[in-house]
């Protein structure tokens, strides 16, 4: 084994092998993969090898498409067969909701260029004669589904990487990792040490153990997973290979395996494996079968596909593989560690392994993953992911793998975990809570305890009239909203302003003022949107998206000078409340000594005030589009502030409102939000944030690319629509049609209660963005006429907010 390498990849499963290949392809030849046993010795070797393109996150779906297309390439480079069987696949629906879900998946596939088709049960039975028609209501056909040989794929990646210059060492275990002060690593193995510039943790079943070597606890857990193979079936003799099928109601997947069928299940009573540590002596082993555990799924499976029962069970496989709490991979660099990368938690290695390798290798070589990988970024998790939290969420995710997640559905596992001081107060107001980064926050308020439950639906739900009342209260009187679930940072020091000016695209506000600013990467794409509040010349309070806290910190860390600036994340130290609506000023004025008139405390002002007895930062901003104030207090004061505002609000008709009403109101104002309108695939001018990019202030990260975008106008444009919808509004990811062609996608949708219309925001090419008519938005399989709005639906001049 060599003593130095630019990169050491730990783990020779399908993921590590793919990372290795992609690194060589990107031009890094001095790369070494270290494998404890033989290649595939983790979860890879006993995988069923199934692959498909459909994924809830369109960006992950794109990487899955890439993975499947890649097999031809690595077969050609390596000469090793991947055993690819593209059979086509059926997703079978047994309920109306599932059929709706499939229609939405098909619609989403349109702008990804996927060729998906909704078919009848009769058509499905023609394609897949093993099914018993009476159990199904329809199906979606995907021509690009099938399976591969896990051994063949892993070795094809490995051989291709070796041809590209990589080295692979087997039967060598990494036992420790030691960082050096120059940012390189000592990789300690049981067969000598290697000095590496970069280390990639692709240790699959042992990713947690390798993480612990560098002091991190990665939120992954292995679950036991079983599939069975039937005896040979006369029904298959002389027939072309059967399609893949997913039977959602049975929670099973099935495909042909030689003369029989393979049937696997994501049973509800899933069992984790090695909950705390993974034994190092686990090799190409299988776990004992537990057919009793999967009996309910098998029973349904045999009823839905009777020929399988007749054929009998020839073999059962029970093996472990890892999941992150949301079931998506964990990739990227780790905050606080130099040159340490992860590529783990990949639960669908044969659909996603190629995409993961591509994104990670680009990130390492170019400093940027080159695609929108937010849904897979390891930084989407923070320190709330304790072992027990991960355990609860992974079990839940596993048991729900084939179940529908409705847009208004909040999942119950690991809750409540994090709460703010007013949690009980909000519960007493019949709040229906949502979970955001394990923090409870009010979504909407019901009139009675009995009504405080979301009836899950793709259509307007039971919450609709209550959210309407919250919005109209904010429009006509004043509403109270908890805003603790934002990310907050204190930035201090003599170089703070200069540094912020470098990493933020907008000008830095003067003392006592607020500025909104996009944060751009070197390619001029949006990687954050912040509210910058200046407390003093050398002291700033930043508000951004809480889910992206680690993501932001990782970026800040990369760009922080050695001295002169400190950045302190303080999201949970500051709780927040906001009052919004025409009566908010009168309400707050009674509680503070400062003059709140627009002349003295205009829109975008920020000041430390005493609200009653409570020290607070007060900002005159509002995400609702109404006159409004945001108040930030250290957590111990939040309850007193809430009580004070409630009491003072009595005479003004104050009511609490929740996140759903806020979402509806921000869409009425065309205000975007992170992970929806603002993502690293959009530029600031495309996203309508051009006015927050200040080219006069000197250099900042992304300036040159932003200037280019300004000149060219960018490829896309964020556009607002009024939709002629009936009982279901857009929620996000629906296709936007223009003149009969799919031209874009929705990022957010809602019913706008203040304007009484169904609304959507979405991206379309710049060339059609100005079209007066001809737009349609496809909601649950039906196209609805959409009218482009030239200005925000509500208070287009912004007079209410500024007044
Ligand atoms: C029963 C079953 C069925 C499945 N079916 C499918 C399917 O149909 N389709 C699909 O896409 N996926 C399927 N999967 C999941 C698939 O197996 C995983 O997505 C994939 O194997 C993950 O690969 P990996 O490289 O991340 O991890 P692993 O395969 O676990 O590889 C990690 C490697 O790292 C090595 N390693 C770990 N620590 C060290 C160390 N310290 N030093 C050196 N080497 C180390 C290990 O020996 C191992 O070889 C299935 C899994 C199971 C168990």
């Amino acid at each position: 084994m060599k003593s130095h390498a630019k990169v050491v990849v730990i783990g020779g499963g399908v993921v590590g092998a793919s990372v290795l290949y992609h690194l060589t392809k990107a031009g890094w030849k001095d790369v070494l993969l270290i494998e404890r046993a033989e290649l595939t010795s983790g979860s890879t070797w006993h995988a069923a090898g199934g692959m498909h393109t459909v994924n809830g996150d369109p960006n992950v779906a794109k990487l899955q498409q890439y993975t499947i297309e890649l097999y031809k390439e690595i077969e050609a480079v390596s000469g090793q067969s991947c055993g690819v069987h593209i059979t086509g696949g059926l997703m079978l629906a047994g309920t109306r909701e599932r059929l709706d879900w499939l229609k939405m998946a098909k619609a989403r596939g349109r702008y990804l260029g996927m060729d998906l088709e909704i078919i009848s049960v009769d058509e499905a039975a023609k394609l897949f004669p093993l099914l018993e028609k009476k159990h199904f209501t329809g199906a979606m056909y995907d021509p690009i589904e099938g399976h591969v040989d896990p051994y063949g794929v892993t070795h094809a990646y490995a051989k291709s990487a070796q041809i590209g210059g990589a080295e692979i060492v087997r039967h060598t275990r990494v036992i420790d990792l030691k960082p050096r002060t120059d940012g390189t690593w000592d990789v300690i193995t049981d067969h000598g040490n290697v000095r590496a510039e970069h280390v990639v943790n692709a240790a699959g079943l042992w990713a947690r153990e390798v993480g612990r070597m560098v002091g991190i606890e990665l939120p992954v857990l292995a679950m036991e997973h079983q599939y069975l193979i039937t005896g040979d079936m006369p029904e298959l003799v002389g027939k072309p290979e059967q399609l893949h099928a997913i039977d959602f109601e049975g929670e099973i997947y099935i495909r042909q395996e030689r003369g029989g069928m393979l049937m696997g299940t994501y049973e509800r009573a899933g069992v984790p494996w090695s909950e705390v540590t993974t034994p190092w002596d686990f090799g190409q082993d299988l776990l004992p079968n537990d057919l009793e555990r999967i009996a309910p799924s098998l029973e349904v499976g045999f009823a839905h596909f009777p020929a399988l029962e007749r054929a009998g069970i020839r073999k059962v496989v029970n093996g472990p593989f890892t999941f992150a709490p949301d079931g998506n991979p964990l990739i990227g660099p780790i905050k606080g560690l130099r040159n340490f990368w992860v590529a783990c938690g990949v639960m669908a290695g044969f659909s996603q392994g190629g995409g993961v390798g591509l994104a990670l290798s680009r990130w390492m070589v170019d400093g940027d993953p080159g695609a929108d990988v937010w849904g897979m970024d390891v930084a989407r998790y923070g320190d709330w992911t304790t072992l027990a939290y991960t355990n609860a969420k992974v079990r839940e995710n596993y048991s729900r793998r084939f179940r529908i997640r409705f847009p208004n559905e909040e999942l119950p596992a690991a809750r409540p975990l994090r709460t703010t001081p007013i949690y009980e107060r909000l519960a007493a107001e019949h709040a229906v809570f949502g979970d955001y980064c394990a923090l409870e926050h009010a979504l909407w308020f019901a009139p009675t305890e009995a009504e405080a439950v979301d009836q899950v639906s793709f259509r307007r739900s039971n919450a609709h009239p209550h959210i309407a009342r919250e919005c109209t209260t904010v429009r006509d009187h004043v509403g109270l909203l908890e805003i603790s679930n934002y990310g907050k940072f204190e930035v201090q020091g003599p170089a703070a302003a200069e540094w912020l000016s470098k990493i933020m695209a907008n000008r830095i506000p003067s003392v006592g003022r607020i500025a909104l600013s996009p944060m751009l990467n070197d390619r001029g794409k949006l990687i954050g949107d912040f509210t910058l509040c200046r407390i003093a010349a050398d002291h700033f309070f930043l508000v951004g998206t809480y889910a992206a806290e680690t993501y932001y910190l990782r970026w800040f860390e990369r760009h922080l000078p050695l001295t002169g600036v400190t950045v302190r994340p303080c999201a949970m130290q500051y709780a927040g409340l906001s009052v919004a609506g025409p009566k908010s000023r009168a309400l707050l004025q009674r509680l503070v000594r400062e003059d709140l008139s627009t002349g003295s405390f205009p829109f975008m002002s920020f000041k430390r005030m005493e609200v009653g007895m409570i020290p607070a930062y007060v900002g005159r901003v509002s995400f609702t589009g109404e006159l409004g104030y945001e108040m930030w207090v250290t957590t111990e004061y939040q309850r007193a502030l809430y009580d004070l505002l409630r009491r003072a609000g009595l005479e003004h008709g104050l009511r609490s409102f929740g996140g759903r009403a806020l979402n509806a109101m921000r869409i009425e104002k065309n205000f975007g939000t992170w992970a929806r309108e603002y993502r690293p695939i959009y530029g600031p001018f495309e996203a309508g944030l051009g006015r927050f990019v200040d080219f006069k202030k000197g250099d900042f990260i992304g300036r040159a690319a932003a200037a280019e975008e300004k000149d060219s106008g960018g490829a896309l444009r964020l556009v607002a629509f009024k939709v002629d919808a009936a009982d279901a509004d857009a929620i996000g990811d629906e296709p936007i049609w223009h003149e009969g062609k799919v031209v874009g996608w929705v990022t957010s949708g809602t019913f706008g209660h203040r304007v009484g219309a169904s609304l959507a925001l979405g991206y379309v090419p710049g060339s059609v963005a100005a079209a007066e008519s001809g737009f349609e938005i496809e909601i649950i399989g039906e196209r609805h006429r959409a009218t482009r709005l030239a200005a925000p639906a509500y208070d287009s001049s912004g007079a209410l907010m500024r007044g």
Side-chain angles (χ1 to χ4, degrees), residues 11 13-15 35-36 41 43-44 46 48-50 174 204-205 321 346 348-350:
V14 62
V15 173
E35 166 54 49
R36 176 187 74 93
S41 295
S43 48
T44 298
H46 50 234
V174 173
L205 287 177
F321 66 115
V346 183
F350 301 96

Side-chain angles (χ1 to χ4, degrees), residues 315-436:
K315 183 177 167 192
V316 181
V317 170
N318 184 9
F321 66 115
T322 54
F323 295 76
D326 61 5
N328 273 337
L330 297 173
I331 75 165
I334 298 283
K335 172 182 81 68
L337 295 175
R338 277 166 77 187
N339 298 338
F340 186 83
W341 307 80
V342 297
C344 59
V346 183
M347 59 79 53
F350 301 96
S351 301
Q352 299 175 339
V356 164
L358 174 73
L360 194 79
S361 63
R362 284 198 181 161
W363 214 335
M364 294 174 70
V365 174
D366 306 334
D368 186 285
D372 185 345
V373 295
W374 167 247
M376 306 199 283
D377 193 328
V378 62
R380 71 191 183 277
Y381 289 110
D383 52 15
W384 65 89
T385 53
T386 55
L387 265 182
Y389 171 90
T390 300
N391 191 303
K393 278 308 207 192
V394 167
R395 282 171 189 244
E396 179 181 64
N397 186 275
Y398 184 91
S399 73
R400 295 185 52 93
R401 171 110 177 95
F402 285 152
R403 278 156 77 185
I404 297 174
R405 171 97 189 251
F406 289 91
N408 64 337
E409 183 169 14
E410 294 290 322
L411 303 182
R415 296 180 59 196
L417 180 58
R418 308 170 89 192
T419 56
T420 60
I422 60 168
Y423 174 71
E424 273 82 18
R425 300 268 203 285
L426 299 177
E429 285 190 70
H430 314 307
V432 174
F433 288 98
D435 158 17
Y436 177 71

